[in-house]
Amino acid sequence: MSKSALQIERSKYAPKMPASIVGATRLAEGKPTASVADQEDIKKLFPNTYGMPIVTFEKGESAATSEPFNVGVILSGGQAPGGHNVISGIFDGIKALNKDNKLYGFLGGPSGLVDHKYIELTSEIVDEYRNTGGFDIIGSGRTKLEETEQFDKGLVICKELGIKAIIIIGGDDSNTNACVLAEYYLAKNTGIQVIGCPKTIDGDLKNEMIETSFGFDTATKVYSEVIGNIERDANSAKKYWHFIKLMGRSASHVTLECALQTQPNITLIGEEVEAKQQTLDDIVTYIAEAVAARAAKGNNFGTVLVPEGLIEFIPAIKKLIAELNDMLAANQAEFDTVADDQKIDYVVKHLSAANAAIFESLPAGVSRQLALERDPHGNVQVSLIETEQLLADMVGKKLAAWKKEGKYVGKFSTQHHFFGYEGRCAAPSNFDADYCYSLGRVAALLIANGKTGYMSSVRNTTKPAAEWLAGGIPITAMMNMEKRNGKMKPVIQKALVKLDGGPFKFFAANREKWAIDTDYVYPGPIQYFGPSAVCDQPSKTLKLEQE
Amino acid sequence: MSKSALQIERSKYAPKMPASIVGATRLAEGKPTASVADQEDIKKLFPNTYGMPIVTFEKGESAATSEPFNVGVILSGGQAPGGHNVISGIFDGIKALNKDNKLYGFLGGPSGLVDHKYIELTSEIVDEYRNTGGFDIIGSGRTKLEETEQFDKGLVICKELGIKAIIIIGGDDSNTNACVLAEYYLAKNTGIQVIGCPKTIDGDLKNEMIETSFGFDTATKVYSEVIGNIERDANSAKKYWHFIKLMGRSASHVTLECALQTQPNITLIGEEVEAKQQTLDDIVTYIAEAVAARAAKGNNFGTVLVPEGLIEFIPAIKKLIAELNDMLAANQAEFDTVADDQKIDYVVKHLSAANAAIFESLPAGVSRQLALERDPHGNVQVSLIETEQLLADMVGKKLAAWKKEGKYVGKFSTQHHFFGYEGRCAAPSNFDADYCYSLGRVAALLIANGKTGYMSSVRNTTKPAAEWLAGGIPITAMMNMEKRNGKMKPVIQKALVKLDGGPFKFFAANREKWAIDTDYVYPGPIQYFGPSAVCDQPSKTLKLEQE
């Protein structure tokens, strides 16, 4: 592997961790827990792992030692900065307990467990990946661990390798599956524990006890860096409106955090669009009004942040898409025989009147895309819609109409951007490097203490790392029942942006000023070596949530 | 102005500069110069500023002092990181000569000089912008200073403000115009000097005496950061080919530097495409072969860097575009009456047979764009072609055909990106912060020494800043005659990528290995505070050119 100067220097960084888990620790157990909702259903589905207490690690008197044991680790789903540090934390954690302990990495995600593809993670390998971005140490994958057949195949390889515990590093779905697996292995008395670690740049895996998912901090800092650069360009050239789409389909945390970091003129938050039952035209009008107000002051430039999932948050479009999917599924054979240039007509005729009207009101490119392009499951491909370009075009049309009416005087030229892959594999910020390493160390301690069905937890994260609180949260405590593919399933409740939460309220209190003024903030690139005020800041979201 | 933690800390940075210009300096003059080509023509056009010697600044015995004088500064053209440091260097430079000296900034580019829009740049203002990105201190613009009427208007405001010299910070065209202005003011005995500073992220303003244009270092480091992150994502997820277009229409220096920094699988260099007379199909085949070779080893992922100007480097397309522009200009009235769905037919019928064949071989979207969308001057809009997406689509089609023939087994899914605005206003790297500040200090010294028609020059830039060589280069020495809008004009020769130069040769020697192996390098974000090995590196291009 060829390395950059930064890779070489950064590999020397020793992540900070909670003082309570340095040296000897002891486990403290709290009161029994209950799931956040649907307690009876969850309890029935998880008879062995329901109701367990929250546990915390405190400074102990004598160093823990244990019989040697082996651990298997899995990276599941999309990349997030810091995954390699979770693994190095696990490695150092189990080696500190007994130097003969071994760590195995299952390759290419959960399928590695099922298909028995793995490597032993030795110190030579782990050392190459400390404080680096990416999931390339063992690769990741999106296979869902849901079937008992998969679980049984996993059991075979665990027995073969003497694996006492599996650690699954993943998002809400992967951690739900980790808990199902923990329950299954416990029910079958296999002796194999399962621990989860909260990963996702989307920031939507969090709750009272899990303050943030790892990777969110670094990814939003990378996006904020380039957004700030674009803002400065807009404010220097003074001739473009930049429409910037940011990754995050299910929640708008990424967009909100970037807005707090960079103070752009306009920020759209999907959860607010849904709560206020806004239409596409409402959103376009809102942007166009801000453009016109800035133009009136001579400022024909600006920045707009758009969450990737925006379209799906618009209630009218959400309903349209749901009916489209059902209708196309029901009529698939017939629809496939319809000529391409007749497909839009076909769709209009087969939709309910209300949804047909919404469909016909969409720009031609979007309606064509919804009618013609579907994914392998037959669903319309909302993610292919280039929302940032769509909005820019629609705002342009509205402004042109206003200009004719004399309601707007100005120039409107646009550029558009989409940031996602740019941040998912960045080298972790100090926060994520420390947080991830700590999550890994805590996971090792949970295993040593015989826990299963727990998520590794590090709290108090707006304080210096030494004061962070280490422990474990029963995954069942985060669950409720939700409909998935027509069936009710136990799942970890997804954390959406709370409109009464600190981060959104701060944003809402300032956005009018940001819209009209040019009050951009330029965060610059992540710094690893400078003053603590620059290098060790948690996300604004975390700070405002904890205030 | 709200500020980030990094903005606050970075404002304290004291740029490094050549030891020879700290304290007392003395000017040494070299031999007379000649233009790089067309000496007779250039000499005739610049009788007063032709043939002047290269000058260098050396340590002197006594501090230079002078009568008070005022300076006007102009930012011209696209943003480049470090412009604010040139201005702070000028400011500190003239204040060191005489604390009563004043610096005026003309607003919004060269038009500020013509329209008499300016501010005085006080220490309060300058201090707010030290080591920051952007051109927002006074704004930039693209007005060309070419007409004597503009020069005369500029003269009025210079006299009014007691301005002894104008400094134009710009690219090759702006510096050409700076020289025309210098010649004019000298011929008219106005007593007003004009000095240029070499700016452009494109890196195409350089020659024997100007080692690099400022902003190239920072912008390519920002692009390399995000390219590295994308590479790491590609290598973790192992499922996408990422097609990444990079700013730079006239030259491929940016793309080449990013390739040297990140070692992607495929890099296209426009100058090579032109030299080898490649067709679009040649390029597509080259990429498809690399994709197939990687797929044969099980690697269905990769990265491709594409320079923004690629399409215009393809000789066949260059000729087609030239004929298209001429033909459409000649037939404009008639063409405007042709129905949209008939325009492609019209174009085919009115082109020469050779170019009609090329036109018809293009993907439908591209030929439609070339036929239907033209800029305000009536020219086809090559820059609107999304080259990165076009190539991804064409490679996909070729691979699908090969699959049918059994020549290719693999999956080919793509993502595409375009980076330009993300890097033009980044806070300057230490290199650019130091280089720009030095250019500004040198410009002040050139003025104090009565020079005009010179470009500020700082050389030996791969050595520590203290060893850099400071001086001035007569702009006429960089000129030759070129056809512009049908007329021969004196212009600074644009620096294209040299296929026999160190940077390209290093790339060419390694690209086969990079194509097949996954030998990515992850440069990470620009660091301002860490070890010198990380923070103070010039570009790879500069190092390989100087070796």
Side-chain angles (χ1 to χ4, degrees):
Chain A
M1 203 192 314
S2 309
K3 287 187 182 171
S4 69
L6 179 59
Q7 282 174 276
I8 293 162
E9 291 294 332
R10 181 65 176 165
S11 70
K12 301 169 191 165
Y13 178 71
K16 302 183 278 294
M17 60 175 170
S20 62
I21 59 166
V22 178
T25 61
R26 68 172 202 91
L27 182 85
E29 300 209 341
K31 291 182 190 156
T33 56
S35 62
V36 284
D38 310 311
Q39 290 82 1
E40 287 310 307
D41 291 324
I42 305 290
K43 190 173 180 178
K44 208 175 293 172
L45 289 161
F46 295 91
N48 296 287
T49 53
Y50 187 85
M52 301 185 298
I54 290 173
V55 299
T56 50
F57 292 105
E58 298 171 0
K59 271 226 163 301
E61 269 96 60
S62 59
T65 52
S66 65
E67 290 299 298
F69 62 85
N70 299 338
V71 172
V73 63
I74 295 170
L75 290 164
S76 179
Q79 282 71 245
H84 291 159
N85 270 31
V86 178
I87 290 175
S88 55
I90 297 167
F91 181 84
D92 292 350
I94 65 170
K95 290 289 182 187
L97 289 161
N98 189 320
K99 69 176 174 39
D100 293 328
N101 289 348
K102 285 183 183 171
L103 180 62
Y104 291 97
F106 289 104
L107 299 175
S111 65
L113 176 70
V114 179
D115 302 336
H116 301 186
K117 294 193 172 153
Y118 64 89
I119 54 169
E120 189 192 334
L121 291 166
T122 60
S123 65
E124 288 70 33
I125 296 174
V126 171
D127 287 350
E128 283 287 294
Y129 289 87
R130 290 179 191 269
N131 310 310
T132 61
F135 278 7
D136 41 311
I137 187 170
I138 49 175
S140 184
R142 294 187 183 270
T143 300
K144 289 196 188 304
L145 285 183
E146 291 179 316
E147 311 296 331
T148 53
E149 198 192 337
Q150 295 172 312
F151 303 165
D152 291 335
K153 284 187 181 165
L155 189 55
V156 172
I157 189 68
C158 287
K159 293 285 172 204
E160 194 179 313
L161 298 174
I163 285 176
K164 169 190 165 82
I166 297 168
I167 298 174
I168 297 180
I169 301 170
D172 51 348
D173 280 344
S174 302
N175 275 284
T176 294
N177 295 340
C179 194
V180 174
L181 187 63
E183 176 70 29
Y184 183 83
Y185 283 169
L186 198 55
K188 286 194 73 172
N189 264 318
T190 61
I192 296 174
Q193 302 157 238
V194 184
I195 299 293
C197 281
K199 171 228 74 171
T200 167
I201 66 158
D202 294 345
D204 56 5
L205 169 49
K206 64 180 171 185
N207 49 55
E208 297 254 310
M209 306 309 285
I210 301 295
E211 295 181 351
T212 187
S213 55
F214 79 76
F216 175 76
D217 186 82
T218 306
T220 54
K221 283 184 167 122
V222 174
Y223 305 146
S224 296
E225 173 200 354
V226 288
I227 293 166
N229 290 352
I230 290 170
E231 286 180 336
R232 194 136 211 171
D233 204 296
N235 190 28
S236 298
K238 300 188 191 294
K239 65 176 180 180
Y240 289 121
W241 274 85
H242 292 266
F243 283 69
I244 304 168
K245 186 170 72 175
L246 296 165
M247 213 171 241
R249 278 186 65 191
S250 312
S252 303
H253 298 289
V254 168
T255 299
L256 180 56
E257 171 66 19
C258 291
L260 295 169
Q261 292 276 357
T262 63
Q263 304 186 179
N265 303 102
I266 305 280
T267 302
L268 304 173
I269 299 296
E271 289 83 343
E272 184 183 30
V273 167
E274 184 163 35
K276 292 190 173 169
Q277 302 266 319
Q278 290 179 333
T279 65
L280 191 52
D281 186 63
D282 290 339
I283 295 167
V284 169
T285 303
Y286 169 63
I287 301 172
E289 280 172 352
V291 172
R294 285 179 64 79
K297 296 178 83 177
N299 292 322
N300 290 299
F301 65 93
T303 44
V304 182
L305 301 192
V306 183
E308 190 186 11
L310 182 75
I311 288 289
E312 290 164 276
F313 274 107
I314 299 172
I317 295 185
K318 203 172 180 177
K319 279 182 216 152
L320 165 64
I321 289 166
E323 193 190 340
L324 251 180
N325 279 333
D326 290 347
M327 185 276 285
L328 290 175
N331 300 289
Q332 192 166 337
E334 187 180 71
F335 187 69
D336 288 347
T337 67
V338 176
D340 270 7
D341 60 355
Q342 302 296 316
K343 281 188 165 155
I344 288 186
D345 280 351
Y346 182 94
V347 165
V348 171
K349 274 182 205 141
H350 287 73
L351 285 176
S352 64
N355 279 333
I358 298 288
F359 184 78
E360 290 191 295
S361 76
L362 294 173
V366 177
S367 53
R368 195 162 51 230
Q369 192 159 40
L370 288 178
L372 299 187
E373 296 186 31
R374 284 177 297 149
D375 72 13
H377 309 287
N379 292 320
V380 297
Q381 298 213 63
V382 187
S383 68
L384 288 183
I385 298 174
E386 293 188 318
T387 323
E388 70 285 20
Q389 207 169 343
L390 169 70
L391 289 175
D393 290 350
M394 292 181 77
V395 170
K397 280 183 188 141
K398 187 161 291 265
L399 289 170
W402 286 358
K403 196 169 239 176
K404 279 188 190 158
E405 297 168 29
K407 280 168 65 180
Y408 161 71
V409 183
K411 287 180 196 165
F412 183 67
S413 300
T414 62
Q415 295 287 341
H416 54 93
H417 314 262
F418 171 41
F419 299 123
Y421 298 98
E422 290 75 4
R424 304 197 315 174
C425 286
S429 62
N430 282 358
F431 177 87
D432 268 329
D434 299 345
Y435 183 59
C436 289
Y437 184 79
S438 300
L439 286 172
R441 295 291 299 237
V442 171
L445 289 172
L446 287 168
I447 294 167
N449 282 277
K451 298 296 168 191
T452 189
Y454 275 77
M455 192 182 290
S456 176
S457 156
V458 171
R459 292 183 293 133
N460 209 27
T461 52
T462 56
K463 295 287 187 315
E467 299 169 33
W468 290 356
L469 305 174
I473 316 294
I475 298 176
T476 51
M478 307 172 197
M479 286 192 179
N480 65 357
M481 300 298 291
E482 289 178 23
K483 207 174 193 174
R484 295 284 167 97
N485 297 322
K487 280 185 210 160
M488 291 306 286
K489 291 256 185 185
V491 295
I492 294 177
Q493 208 172 40
K494 214 180 253 298
L496 300 179
V497 170
K498 289 183 183 158
L499 302 187
D500 59 354
F504 184 84
K505 276 162 73 180
F506 183 88
F507 158 71
N510 284 282
R511 64 175 151 186
E512 276 181 50
K513 186 174 169 302
W514 296 350
I516 300 306
D517 297 350
T518 301
D519 197 18
Y520 301 149
V521 175
Y522 313 118
I526 293 174
Q527 296 296 301
Y528 300 109
F529 306 101
S532 186
V534 174
C535 297
D536 294 312
Q537 296 306 309
S539 67
K540 302 253 180 200
T541 299
L542 207 42
K543 281 194 205 169
L544 289 164
E545 279 174 347
Q546 306 286 318
E547 260 174 17
Chain B
M1 203 191 317
S2 309
K3 288 186 182 172
S4 69
L6 179 59
Q7 281 174 276
I8 293 162
E9 291 294 331
R10 181 65 176 165
S11 70
K12 301 169 191 165
Y13 179 72
K16 302 184 277 292
M17 60 176 171
S20 62
I21 60 166
V22 178
T25 62
R26 68 174 201 91
L27 181 87
E29 300 208 343
K31 290 183 190 156
T33 57
S35 61
V36 284
D38 310 311
Q39 290 83 1
E40 286 311 306
D41 291 324
I42 304 289
K43 189 173 181 177
K44 209 175 291 171
L45 289 162
F46 296 90
N48 296 288
T49 52
Y50 188 86
M52 301 185 298
I54 290 172
V55 298
T56 50
F57 292 105
E58 298 170 1
K59 269 223 162 303
E61 270 95 62
S62 59
T65 52
S66 66
E67 290 299 297
F69 63 85
N70 299 337
V71 172
V73 64
I74 295 169
L75 290 164
S76 180
Q79 282 71 246
H84 291 159
N85 270 32
V86 179
I87 290 177
S88 56
I90 298 167
F91 182 84
D92 292 351
I94 65 171
K95 290 289 182 187
L97 289 161
N98 189 320
K99 70 177 173 40
D100 293 329
N101 289 349
K102 285 183 184 171
L103 180 61
Y104 292 96
F106 289 104
L107 299 175
S111 65
L113 175 70
V114 179
D115 302 336
H116 301 186
K117 293 195 174 152
Y118 63 89
I119 53 168
E120 189 192 333
L121 290 166
T122 59
S123 64
E124 288 70 34
I125 296 174
V126 171
D127 287 350
E128 283 287 293
Y129 289 87
R130 289 178 191 271
N131 310 310
T132 62
F135 277 8
D136 41 310
I137 187 170
I138 49 175
S140 184
R142 294 187 182 269
T143 299
K144 289 194 188 303
L145 284 182
E146 291 179 316
E147 310 297 331
T148 54
E149 199 192 335
Q150 295 172 312
F151 303 164
D152 291 335
K153 283 187 183 165
L155 189 54
V156 173
I157 189 67
C158 287
K159 292 289 174 201
E160 196 180 310
L161 298 175
I163 285 176
K164 171 190 164 83
I166 297 167
I167 298 174
I168 297 180
I169 302 170
D172 51 347
D173 280 344
S174 302
N175 275 284
T176 295
N177 295 341
C179 194
V180 174
L181 187 65
E183 176 70 27
Y184 182 83
Y185 282 169
L186 198 54
K188 286 193 72 172
N189 264 318
T190 61
I192 297 175
Q193 303 156 239
V194 184
I195 299 293
C197 281
K199 170 228 74 171
T200 168
I201 66 158
D202 294 346
D204 56 5
L205 170 50
K206 64 180 172 185
N207 49 56
E208 298 253 310
M209 306 310 284
I210 302 293
E211 295 181 352
T212 188
S213 55
F214 79 77
F216 175 76
D217 185 81
T218 306
T220 54
K221 282 183 168 122
V222 174
Y223 305 146
S224 297
E225 173 200 354
V226 288
I227 293 166
N229 290 351
I230 289 170
E231 286 180 336
R232 193 134 211 171
D233 204 296
N235 191 28
S236 298
K238 300 188 191 294
K239 66 177 181 180
Y240 289 121
W241 272 85
H242 292 266
F243 282 70
I244 303 168
K245 186 170 73 175
L246 295 166
M247 213 171 239
R249 278 188 64 191
S250 311
S252 304
H253 299 289
V254 169
T255 299
L256 180 56
E257 172 66 20
C258 291
L260 295 169
Q261 293 277 356
T262 63
Q263 304 187 180
N265 303 102
I266 305 280
T267 302
L268 304 173
I269 299 296
E271 289 83 343
E272 184 183 31
V273 166
E274 183 163 35
K276 293 188 172 167
Q277 302 264 318
Q278 290 178 333
T279 64
L280 192 51
D281 186 63
D282 290 339
I283 296 167
V284 169
T285 303
Y286 168 63
I287 301 172
E289 280 172 350
V291 172
R294 285 178 64 77
K297 296 177 84 176
N299 291 322
N300 290 298
F301 65 92
T303 44
V304 183
L305 301 192
V306 184
E308 190 185 11
L310 182 76
I311 287 289
E312 290 163 277
F313 275 107
I314 298 171
I317 295 187
K318 204 173 180 174
K319 279 182 215 151
L320 164 64
I321 290 167
E323 194 190 339
L324 251 179
N325 279 333
D326 289 348
M327 185 276 284
L328 291 175
N331 299 289
Q332 191 165 337
E334 188 180 70
F335 187 69
D336 287 347
T337 67
V338 176
D340 270 7
D341 60 354
Q342 302 296 316
K343 279 188 166 158
I344 289 187
D345 280 352
Y346 182 94
V347 166
V348 170
K349 275 182 204 142
H350 287 74
L351 285 175
S352 64
N355 280 332
I358 297 288
F359 184 78
E360 289 190 296
S361 76
L362 294 173
V366 177
S367 54
R368 196 162 50 229
Q369 192 158 42
L370 288 178
L372 299 187
E373 295 187 31
R374 286 177 296 149
D375 72 13
H377 308 287
N379 292 320
V380 298
Q381 298 211 64
V382 186
S383 67
L384 288 183
I385 298 174
E386 294 188 316
T387 322
E388 70 285 20
Q389 206 169 345
L390 169 69
L391 289 175
D393 291 349
M394 292 181 77
V395 170
K397 282 186 186 137
K398 188 161 290 266
L399 289 169
W402 287 357
K403 196 169 239 177
K404 279 188 189 156
E405 297 167 30
K407 280 168 64 181
Y408 161 70
V409 182
K411 285 180 199 167
F412 183 67
S413 300
T414 62
Q415 296 288 342
H416 55 92
H417 314 263
F418 171 42
F419 299 123
Y421 298 98
E422 290 75 4
R424 305 196 316 173
C425 286
S429 62
N430 282 358
F431 177 88
D432 268 329
D434 298 347
Y435 182 59
C436 289
Y437 184 78
S438 300
L439 286 172
R441 295 291 301 235
V442 171
L445 289 173
L446 288 168
I447 294 168
N449 282 277
K451 297 298 169 191
T452 189
Y454 276 77
M455 193 182 290
S456 177
S457 156
V458 171
R459 291 183 294 134
N460 210 27
T461 51
T462 56
K463 295 288 188 314
E467 299 169 35
W468 289 357
L469 305 174
I473 316 294
I475 298 175
T476 52
M478 307 172 197
M479 286 192 180
N480 66 358
M481 300 298 290
E482 289 178 23
K483 209 174 193 174
R484 295 283 167 96
N485 297 322
K487 280 185 210 161
M488 292 306 286
K489 291 256 185 185
V491 296
I492 295 176
Q493 209 173 40
K494 215 180 252 299
L496 300 180
V497 170
K498 289 183 183 158
L499 303 186
D500 58 355
F504 183 84
K505 276 162 74 180
F506 183 88
F507 158 72
N510 285 280
R511 63 176 153 186
E512 276 181 51
K513 185 174 168 300
W514 296 349
I516 301 307
D517 297 350
T518 302
D519 196 18
Y520 301 149
V521 174
Y522 313 119
I526 293 174
Q527 296 296 301
Y528 300 109
F529 306 101
S532 187
V534 175
C535 297
D536 294 312
Q537 295 307 309
S539 67
K540 301 252 180 199
T541 299
L542 208 41
K543 281 193 204 170
L544 289 163
E545 279 173 348
Q546 305 286 317
E547 262 174 14

